[in-house]
Amino acid sequence: MQIQPLVLKELEAQGIMKRPMVVRDGKLWCPISEAPMATEFAISRFAVPFMRQGGWAMFCDCDVLFLKDPVRLLDLVDPSYAIMAVKHQQRESEAVKMDGQTQTFYRRKNWSSVVLWNLDHPSNKRLTNEMLNTWPGRDLHAFKWLEDHEIGELPLAWNYLVGASASELDPADVSLAHYTLGGPWFAGWSGATQWDELWSREESILRAFEEQAVQIPP
C-alpha cells in the first residue's frame, strides 16, 4: 500500500489541476463554484483518477482517525462499481462545519470524504480533465458523471461522522472516525469523544517523526 498526499502545487505543475483559486478574507475561494473551500483538497481529491492508470485507490479527508486496519477495505471492493462510499444522508440542521465554516447542501453530500476509486471502471473515464477544472465543486462532490447504480455502498463504520452521522454506532464497531465538525486539534474543542485521546497521541507521534526528519542532514 502506497500513501500519496495531494499537494496542490505538484498537481498544478503536472498540469492536472488548472482551475483558478483565490484567497478572500484569509480563506480559499473557488471562483467557478462561487463558494469557499475549507481545504486545498476540496477539489483536488477528484484528481485521483488522473494520478494512477488502474487498480483501486482510496481518498480520505485529513480529519479522519483509522480505528481498524484500512487493508480490511479490500475485502469490500466490488469491481462492478466505479466508486464505493458511505452513502450519508445530510441533516438540514447541520449549518456549520469544522472551524465555523458554513455548510453547503448538495446531492450525495459527504460521500466524497472517504472514497474507494475503481480506476479500471469505464464509467470513470467520463470524468475528463476539463470537467475537473471547470465544473462547480458541488457537481464534482455529487459525482455527477456517475449514475446511482454505478456507486457501491460502504458500511457506515468506514466513514462515521463524529457528532453528525444520522445513525449511531457502538464505538467498538467504528472503523474510521471522521471529525467533520472539528476535533481536538482546535483550541476550545467542546465535542469531546472517546477517540480524542487516541487522536492526540497519534498526532504527537507524527510530530515527533517530523521533528526527527528535520534534524537529519540531507
Side-chain angles (χ1 to χ4, degrees):
M1 179 181 294
Q2 180 184 16
I3 299 175
Q4 184 174 354
L6 287 174
V7 181
L8 191 55
K9 289 183 178 180
E10 292 181 2
L11 294 171
E12 290 173 342
Q14 295 168 20
I16 296 175
M17 294 297 300
K18 307 169 189 174
R19 58 192 294 139
M21 298 181 188
V22 298
V23 177
R24 288 189 181 180
D25 300 323
K27 296 181 180 180
L28 280 175
W29 179 269
C30 177
I32 295 174
S33 309
E34 296 185 344
M37 297 186 297
T39 66
E40 282 194 4
F41 50 85
I43 302 297
S44 64
R45 71 188 66 198
F46 300 102
V48 170
F50 303 94
M51 297 168 65
R52 287 191 55 183
Q53 296 300 312
W56 285 86
M58 177 185 183
F59 168 84
C60 66
D61 277 351
C62 67
D63 52 357
V64 306
L65 181 65
F66 282 94
L67 301 168
K68 295 178 183 176
D69 191 341
V71 171
R72 295 189 184 185
L73 282 166
L74 296 177
D75 296 329
L76 303 177
V77 297
D78 185 334
S80 67
Y81 295 116
I83 67 165
M84 299 184 71
V86 176
K87 298 182 177 181
H88 297 288
Q89 299 298 318
Q90 189 178 20
R91 298 179 294 192
E92 293 294 326
S93 60
E94 297 166 9
V96 179
K97 64 195 303 185
M98 69 172 188
D99 207 15
Q101 300 198 50
T102 302
Q103 285 276 20
T104 54
F105 295 86
Y106 47 81
R107 188 169 178 244
R108 299 169 177 169
K109 174 77 174 180
N110 275 320
W111 293 19
S112 65
S113 54
V114 176
V115 182
L116 292 180
W117 289 86
N118 181 359
L119 303 181
D120 293 316
H121 200 285
S123 297
N124 280 324
K125 306 304 179 184
R126 300 183 198 135
L127 177 63
T128 65
N129 188 258
E130 181 181 3
M131 293 175 183
L132 173 66
N133 287 290
T134 60
W135 274 10
R138 58 185 172 274
D139 289 346
L140 292 167
H141 284 278
F143 300 98
K144 191 176 178 181
W145 69 94
L146 295 177
E147 302 293 335
D148 288 341
H149 70 272
E150 296 171 321
I151 302 177
E153 186 165 10
L154 293 176
L156 176 60
W158 283 104
N159 190 4
Y160 182 72
L161 306 180
V162 177
S165 280
S167 300
E168 293 295 328
L169 287 182
D170 185 319
D173 294 331
V174 176
S175 302
L176 183 154
H178 182 183
Y179 282 91
T180 187
L181 301 180
W185 60 91
F186 284 135
W189 164 244
S190 59
T193 75
Q194 60 269 44
W195 303 300
D196 289 0
E197 183 178 349
L198 177 58
W199 176 286
S200 298
R201 185 169 74 241
E202 292 298 316
E203 182 182 17
S204 297
I205 294 172
L206 177 61
R207 298 293 184 192
F209 273 119
E210 290 178 340
E211 292 176 2
Q212 185 179 23
V214 169
Q215 295 171 6
I216 296 176

Tab-separated table of all heavy atoms in Angstrom, residues 28-70:
chain	number	residue	atom	x	y	z
A	28	LEU	N	-9.533	30.233	1.327
A	28	LEU	CA	-9.541	29.843	-0.077
A	28	LEU	C	-10.943	29.992	-0.664
A	28	LEU	O	-11.941	29.682	-0.009
A	28	LEU	CB	-9.078	28.392	-0.226
A	28	LEU	CG	-7.572	28.130	-0.187
A	28	LEU	CD1	-7.315	26.625	-0.221
A	28	LEU	CD2	-6.873	28.807	-1.357
A	29	TRP	N	-10.990	30.446	-1.898
A	29	TRP	CA	-12.264	30.671	-2.572
A	29	TRP	C	-12.175	30.113	-3.986
A	29	TRP	O	-11.166	30.286	-4.665
A	29	TRP	CB	-12.579	32.155	-2.606
A	29	TRP	CG	-13.865	32.518	-3.293
A	29	TRP	CD1	-14.046	32.837	-4.613
A	29	TRP	CD2	-15.160	32.611	-2.697
A	29	TRP	NE1	-15.370	33.113	-4.880
A	29	TRP	CE2	-16.078	32.990	-3.722
A	29	TRP	CE3	-15.637	32.418	-1.404
A	29	TRP	CZ2	-17.431	33.167	-3.475
A	29	TRP	CZ3	-16.995	32.597	-1.160
A	29	TRP	CH2	-17.879	32.972	-2.186
A	30	CYS	N	-13.225	29.432	-4.419
A	30	CYS	CA	-13.288	28.887	-5.773
A	30	CYS	C	-14.206	29.770	-6.619
A	30	CYS	O	-15.431	29.759	-6.425
A	30	CYS	CB	-13.810	27.455	-5.754
A	30	CYS	SG	-13.990	26.744	-7.420
A	31	PRO	N	-13.653	30.559	-7.555
A	31	PRO	CA	-14.485	31.428	-8.391
A	31	PRO	C	-15.478	30.651	-9.248
A	31	PRO	O	-16.576	31.149	-9.528
A	31	PRO	CB	-13.453	32.155	-9.273
A	31	PRO	CG	-12.162	32.068	-8.520
A	31	PRO	CD	-12.205	30.744	-7.823
A	32	ILE	N	-15.122	29.447	-9.691
A	32	ILE	CA	-16.030	28.648	-10.518
A	32	ILE	C	-17.255	28.232	-9.708
A	32	ILE	O	-18.393	28.312	-10.170
A	32	ILE	CB	-15.312	27.407	-11.077
A	32	ILE	CG1	-14.194	27.830	-12.031
A	32	ILE	CG2	-16.295	26.477	-11.782
A	32	ILE	CD1	-13.334	26.678	-12.519
A	33	SER	N	-17.012	27.777	-8.490
A	33	SER	CA	-18.103	27.336	-7.614
A	33	SER	C	-18.808	28.502	-6.945
A	33	SER	O	-19.922	28.341	-6.432
A	33	SER	CB	-17.569	26.393	-6.535
A	33	SER	OG	-16.807	25.351	-7.077
A	34	GLU	N	-18.130	29.663	-6.915
A	34	GLU	CA	-18.606	30.821	-6.164
A	34	GLU	C	-18.869	30.420	-4.712
A	34	GLU	O	-19.929	30.697	-4.149
A	34	GLU	CB	-19.867	31.418	-6.804
A	34	GLU	CG	-19.628	31.973	-8.200
A	34	GLU	CD	-20.856	32.675	-8.770
A	34	GLU	OE1	-21.962	32.460	-8.225
A	34	GLU	OE2	-20.706	33.417	-9.740
A	35	ALA	N	-17.874	29.730	-4.144
A	35	ALA	CA	-18.018	29.208	-2.781
A	35	ALA	C	-16.641	29.072	-2.143
A	35	ALA	O	-15.625	28.927	-2.846
A	35	ALA	CB	-18.716	27.851	-2.808
A	36	PRO	N	-16.591	29.112	-0.802
A	36	PRO	CA	-15.314	28.921	-0.115
A	36	PRO	C	-14.886	27.454	-0.160
A	36	PRO	O	-15.700	26.558	-0.383
A	36	PRO	CB	-15.624	29.346	1.322
A	36	PRO	CG	-17.096	29.080	1.472
A	36	PRO	CD	-17.700	29.356	0.125
A	37	MET	N	-13.592	27.219	0.036
A	37	MET	CA	-13.052	25.869	0.124
A	37	MET	C	-12.399	25.709	1.490
A	37	MET	O	-11.517	26.491	1.857
A	37	MET	CB	-12.028	25.619	-0.988
A	37	MET	CG	-12.613	25.696	-2.377
A	37	MET	SD	-11.417	25.211	-3.675
A	37	MET	CE	-10.174	26.480	-3.456
A	38	ALA	N	-12.847	24.716	2.242
A	38	ALA	CA	-12.327	24.521	3.594
A	38	ALA	C	-10.874	24.066	3.580
A	38	ALA	O	-10.129	24.325	4.526
A	38	ALA	CB	-13.192	23.506	4.345
A	39	THR	N	-10.463	23.364	2.512
A	39	THR	CA	-9.106	22.835	2.417
A	39	THR	C	-8.601	22.946	0.979
A	39	THR	O	-9.377	23.159	0.053
A	39	THR	CB	-9.045	21.349	2.820
A	39	THR	OG1	-9.780	20.574	1.857
A	39	THR	CG2	-9.618	21.133	4.212
A	40	GLU	N	-7.286	22.762	0.799
A	40	GLU	CA	-6.701	22.764	-0.542
A	40	GLU	C	-7.183	21.572	-1.366
A	40	GLU	O	-7.158	21.616	-2.594
A	40	GLU	CB	-5.171	22.735	-0.460
A	40	GLU	CG	-4.547	24.073	-0.123
A	40	GLU	CD	-3.047	24.077	-0.378
A	40	GLU	OE1	-2.523	23.062	-0.877
A	40	GLU	OE2	-2.406	25.101	-0.086
A	41	PHE	N	-7.586	20.489	-0.679
A	41	PHE	CA	-8.009	19.298	-1.416
A	41	PHE	C	-9.533	19.220	-1.559
A	41	PHE	O	-10.081	18.160	-1.840
A	41	PHE	CB	-7.465	18.026	-0.753
A	41	PHE	CG	-7.701	17.924	0.725
A	41	PHE	CD1	-8.888	17.423	1.222
A	41	PHE	CD2	-6.725	18.315	1.625
A	41	PHE	CE1	-9.116	17.313	2.585
A	41	PHE	CE2	-6.937	18.214	2.990
A	41	PHE	CZ	-8.129	17.706	3.475
A	42	ALA	N	-10.199	20.349	-1.365
A	42	ALA	CA	-11.649	20.382	-1.563
A	42	ALA	C	-12.015	19.911	-2.972
A	42	ALA	O	-12.997	19.197	-3.173
A	42	ALA	CB	-12.177	21.793	-1.329
A	43	ILE	N	-11.203	20.299	-3.963
A	43	ILE	CA	-11.433	19.896	-5.341
A	43	ILE	C	-10.396	18.884	-5.815
A	43	ILE	O	-10.714	17.965	-6.581
A	43	ILE	CB	-11.413	21.121	-6.282
A	43	ILE	CG1	-12.473	22.147	-5.852
A	43	ILE	CG2	-11.646	20.698	-7.726
A	43	ILE	CD1	-13.907	21.647	-5.942
A	44	SER	N	-9.168	19.024	-5.351
A	44	SER	CA	-8.084	18.176	-5.877
A	44	SER	C	-8.275	16.693	-5.565
A	44	SER	O	-7.637	15.840	-6.181
A	44	SER	CB	-6.721	18.647	-5.356
A	44	SER	OG	-6.627	18.517	-3.951
A	45	ARG	N	-9.162	16.353	-4.643
A	45	ARG	CA	-9.453	14.931	-4.383
A	45	ARG	C	-9.954	14.220	-5.638
A	45	ARG	O	-9.795	13.012	-5.775
A	45	ARG	CB	-10.485	14.803	-3.257
A	45	ARG	CG	-11.896	15.227	-3.627
A	45	ARG	CD	-12.815	15.248	-2.425
A	45	ARG	NE	-12.394	16.278	-1.481
A	45	ARG	CZ	-12.772	16.304	-0.204
A	45	ARG	NH1	-13.550	15.350	0.278
A	45	ARG	NH2	-12.365	17.277	0.589
A	46	PHE	N	-10.547	14.974	-6.549
A	46	PHE	CA	-11.079	14.376	-7.773
A	46	PHE	C	-10.000	14.225	-8.852
A	46	PHE	O	-10.291	13.797	-9.971
A	46	PHE	CB	-12.266	15.193	-8.283
A	46	PHE	CG	-13.379	15.267	-7.276
A	46	PHE	CD1	-13.577	16.402	-6.513
A	46	PHE	CD2	-14.194	14.166	-7.053
A	46	PHE	CE1	-14.584	16.454	-5.552
A	46	PHE	CE2	-15.205	14.204	-6.094
A	46	PHE	CZ	-15.392	15.347	-5.340
A	47	ALA	N	-8.769	14.551	-8.474
A	47	ALA	CA	-7.635	14.327	-9.368
A	47	ALA	C	-7.122	12.899	-9.267
A	47	ALA	O	-6.269	12.495	-10.074
A	47	ALA	CB	-6.506	15.307	-9.046
A	48	VAL	N	-7.624	12.127	-8.310
A	48	VAL	CA	-7.133	10.764	-8.099
A	48	VAL	C	-7.125	9.933	-9.390
A	48	VAL	O	-6.130	9.268	-9.693
A	48	VAL	CB	-7.942	10.055	-6.990
A	48	VAL	CG1	-7.611	8.564	-6.934
A	48	VAL	CG2	-7.652	10.701	-5.635
A	49	PRO	N	-8.197	9.953	-10.209
A	49	PRO	CA	-8.175	9.133	-11.431
A	49	PRO	C	-7.110	9.555	-12.447
A	49	PRO	O	-6.789	8.792	-13.355
A	49	PRO	CB	-9.588	9.333	-12.011
A	49	PRO	CG	-10.412	9.804	-10.880
A	49	PRO	CD	-9.494	10.599	-10.024
A	50	PHE	N	-6.581	10.782	-12.287
A	50	PHE	CA	-5.568	11.270	-13.224
A	50	PHE	C	-4.151	11.028	-12.698
A	50	PHE	O	-3.179	11.319	-13.384
A	50	PHE	CB	-5.781	12.763	-13.482
A	50	PHE	CG	-7.149	13.087	-14.005
A	50	PHE	CD1	-8.163	13.462	-13.135
A	50	PHE	CD2	-7.435	12.978	-15.352
A	50	PHE	CE1	-9.435	13.753	-13.595
A	50	PHE	CE2	-8.706	13.264	-15.835
A	50	PHE	CZ	-9.711	13.642	-14.959
A	51	MET	N	-4.053	10.481	-11.500
A	51	MET	CA	-2.752	10.252	-10.881
A	51	MET	C	-2.285	8.810	-11.033
A	51	MET	O	-1.103	8.519	-10.891
A	51	MET	CB	-2.827	10.621	-9.391
A	51	MET	CG	-3.123	12.086	-9.137
A	51	MET	SD	-3.543	12.430	-7.398
A	51	MET	CE	-1.995	12.021	-6.584
A	52	ARG	N	-3.226	7.906	-11.308
A	52	ARG	CA	-2.900	6.496	-11.489
A	52	ARG	C	-3.666	5.944	-12.681
A	52	ARG	O	-4.736	6.439	-13.019
A	52	ARG	CB	-3.261	5.685	-10.233
A	52	ARG	CG	-2.342	5.916	-9.055
A	52	ARG	CD	-2.603	4.886	-7.975
A	52	ARG	NE	-2.504	3.528	-8.483
A	52	ARG	CZ	-2.744	2.435	-7.748
A	52	ARG	NH1	-3.089	2.551	-6.489
A	52	ARG	NH2	-2.635	1.227	-8.266
A	53	GLN	N	-3.126	4.918	-13.298
A	53	GLN	CA	-3.712	4.374	-14.513
A	53	GLN	C	-4.735	3.270	-14.268
A	53	GLN	O	-5.617	3.041	-15.086
A	53	GLN	CB	-2.602	3.839	-15.426
A	53	GLN	CG	-1.661	4.923	-15.926
A	53	GLN	CD	-2.389	5.993	-16.734
A	53	GLN	OE1	-3.178	5.684	-17.616
A	53	GLN	NE2	-2.130	7.245	-16.414
A	54	GLY	N	-4.629	2.550	-13.161
A	54	GLY	CA	-5.544	1.440	-12.942
A	54	GLY	C	-5.500	0.943	-11.521
A	54	GLY	O	-4.783	1.469	-10.670
A	55	GLY	N	-6.312	-0.082	-11.260
A	55	GLY	CA	-6.391	-0.651	-9.921
A	55	GLY	C	-7.366	0.115	-9.043
A	55	GLY	O	-8.215	0.876	-9.523
A	56	TRP	N	-7.240	-0.101	-7.749
A	56	TRP	CA	-8.083	0.585	-6.772
A	56	TRP	C	-7.255	1.630	-6.024
A	56	TRP	O	-6.081	1.402	-5.732
A	56	TRP	CB	-8.674	-0.401	-5.771
A	56	TRP	CG	-9.794	-1.223	-6.323
A	56	TRP	CD1	-9.689	-2.399	-7.017
A	56	TRP	CD2	-11.190	-0.929	-6.245
A	56	TRP	NE1	-10.932	-2.853	-7.384
A	56	TRP	CE2	-11.877	-1.979	-6.918
A	56	TRP	CE3	-11.932	0.100	-5.672
A	56	TRP	CZ2	-13.263	-2.009	-7.024
A	56	TRP	CZ3	-13.317	0.070	-5.777
A	56	TRP	CH2	-13.979	-0.971	-6.451
A	57	ALA	N	-7.869	2.753	-5.738
A	57	ALA	CA	-7.227	3.805	-4.955
A	57	ALA	C	-8.229	4.324	-3.942
A	57	ALA	O	-9.449	4.248	-4.158
A	57	ALA	CB	-6.742	4.941	-5.851
A	58	MET	N	-7.716	4.838	-2.850
A	58	MET	CA	-8.587	5.368	-1.808
A	58	MET	C	-8.240	6.826	-1.529
A	58	MET	O	-7.071	7.187	-1.470
A	58	MET	CB	-8.435	4.567	-0.512
A	58	MET	CG	-9.265	5.099	0.640
A	58	MET	SD	-8.930	4.201	2.174
A	58	MET	CE	-10.100	4.989	3.280
A	59	PHE	N	-9.265	7.642	-1.408
A	59	PHE	CA	-9.075	9.006	-0.906
A	59	PHE	C	-9.764	9.112	0.439
A	59	PHE	O	-10.859	8.585	0.631
A	59	PHE	CB	-9.680	10.066	-1.840
A	59	PHE	CG	-9.726	11.419	-1.181
A	59	PHE	CD1	-8.613	12.236	-1.193
A	59	PHE	CD2	-10.858	11.844	-0.488
A	59	PHE	CE1	-8.621	13.468	-0.535
A	59	PHE	CE2	-10.885	13.069	0.174
A	59	PHE	CZ	-9.769	13.884	0.143
A	60	CYS	N	-9.121	9.830	1.376
A	60	CYS	CA	-9.811	10.159	2.629
A	60	CYS	C	-9.391	11.552	3.063
A	60	CYS	O	-8.274	12.000	2.793
A	60	CYS	CB	-9.521	9.132	3.725
A	60	CYS	SG	-7.820	9.066	4.285
A	61	ASP	N	-10.310	12.250	3.703
A	61	ASP	CA	-10.022	13.557	4.271
A	61	ASP	C	-8.917	13.435	5.317
A	61	ASP	O	-8.616	12.333	5.802
A	61	ASP	CB	-11.283	14.140	4.921
A	61	ASP	CG	-12.192	14.833	3.914
A	61	ASP	OD1	-11.775	15.007	2.754
A	61	ASP	OD2	-13.320	15.206	4.294
A	62	CYS	N	-8.341	14.590	5.695
A	62	CYS	CA	-7.246	14.561	6.669
A	62	CYS	C	-7.746	14.536	8.107
A	62	CYS	O	-6.955	14.321	9.032
A	62	CYS	CB	-6.327	15.761	6.455
A	62	CYS	SG	-7.090	17.355	6.828
A	63	ASP	N	-9.046	14.739	8.316
A	63	ASP	CA	-9.585	14.775	9.678
A	63	ASP	C	-10.241	13.447	10.046
A	63	ASP	O	-11.309	13.405	10.661
A	63	ASP	CB	-10.578	15.929	9.849
A	63	ASP	CG	-11.669	15.946	8.786
A	63	ASP	OD1	-11.631	15.084	7.875
A	63	ASP	OD2	-12.553	16.819	8.859
A	64	VAL	N	-9.592	12.348	9.646
A	64	VAL	CA	-10.110	11.024	9.966
A	64	VAL	C	-9.115	10.271	10.838
A	64	VAL	O	-7.908	10.517	10.785
A	64	VAL	CB	-10.418	10.193	8.703
A	64	VAL	CG1	-11.352	10.957	7.772
A	64	VAL	CG2	-9.143	9.801	7.971
A	65	LEU	N	-9.640	9.355	11.623
A	65	LEU	CA	-8.825	8.517	12.501
A	65	LEU	C	-9.192	7.068	12.221
A	65	LEU	O	-10.320	6.645	12.455
A	65	LEU	CB	-9.110	8.857	13.970
A	65	LEU	CG	-8.318	8.081	15.015
A	65	LEU	CD1	-6.829	8.394	14.928
A	65	LEU	CD2	-8.846	8.397	16.426
A	66	PHE	N	-8.235	6.315	11.664
A	66	PHE	CA	-8.472	4.897	11.416
A	66	PHE	C	-8.383	4.130	12.731
A	66	PHE	O	-7.360	4.163	13.406
A	66	PHE	CB	-7.454	4.339	10.421
A	66	PHE	CG	-7.740	4.680	8.999
A	66	PHE	CD1	-7.161	5.788	8.400
A	66	PHE	CD2	-8.616	3.901	8.247
A	66	PHE	CE1	-7.439	6.114	7.076
A	66	PHE	CE2	-8.901	4.213	6.930
A	66	PHE	CZ	-8.302	5.323	6.342
A	67	LEU	N	-9.458	3.433	13.053
A	67	LEU	CA	-9.507	2.638	14.281
A	67	LEU	C	-9.322	1.157	13.978
A	67	LEU	O	-9.115	0.360	14.886
A	67	LEU	CB	-10.850	2.863	14.982
A	67	LEU	CG	-11.115	4.332	15.355
A	67	LEU	CD1	-12.557	4.528	15.776
A	67	LEU	CD2	-10.172	4.782	16.467
A	68	LYS	N	-9.395	0.810	12.681
A	68	LYS	CA	-9.134	-0.556	12.228
A	68	LYS	C	-8.283	-0.482	10.967
A	68	LYS	O	-8.246	0.544	10.284
A	68	LYS	CB	-10.445	-1.314	11.986
A	68	LYS	CG	-11.247	-1.514	13.270
A	68	LYS	CD	-12.555	-2.228	13.024
A	68	LYS	CE	-13.360	-2.351	14.324
A	68	LYS	NZ	-14.691	-2.970	14.102
A	69	ASP	N	-7.607	-1.545	10.661
A	69	ASP	CA	-6.684	-1.594	9.529
A	69	ASP	C	-7.421	-1.311	8.219
A	69	ASP	O	-8.351	-2.030	7.860
A	69	ASP	CB	-6.029	-2.973	9.472
A	69	ASP	CG	-4.860	-3.039	8.502
A	69	ASP	OD1	-4.766	-2.173	7.612
A	69	ASP	OD2	-4.045	-3.972	8.639
A	70	PRO	N	-7.018	-0.251	7.467
A	70	PRO	CA	-7.706	0.054	6.207
A	70	PRO	C	-7.575	-1.056	5.169
A	70	PRO	O	-8.350	-1.076	4.199
A	70	PRO	CB	-7.020	1.346	5.734
A	70	PRO	CG	-5.719	1.384	6.461
A	70	PRO	CD	-5.969	0.725	7.786
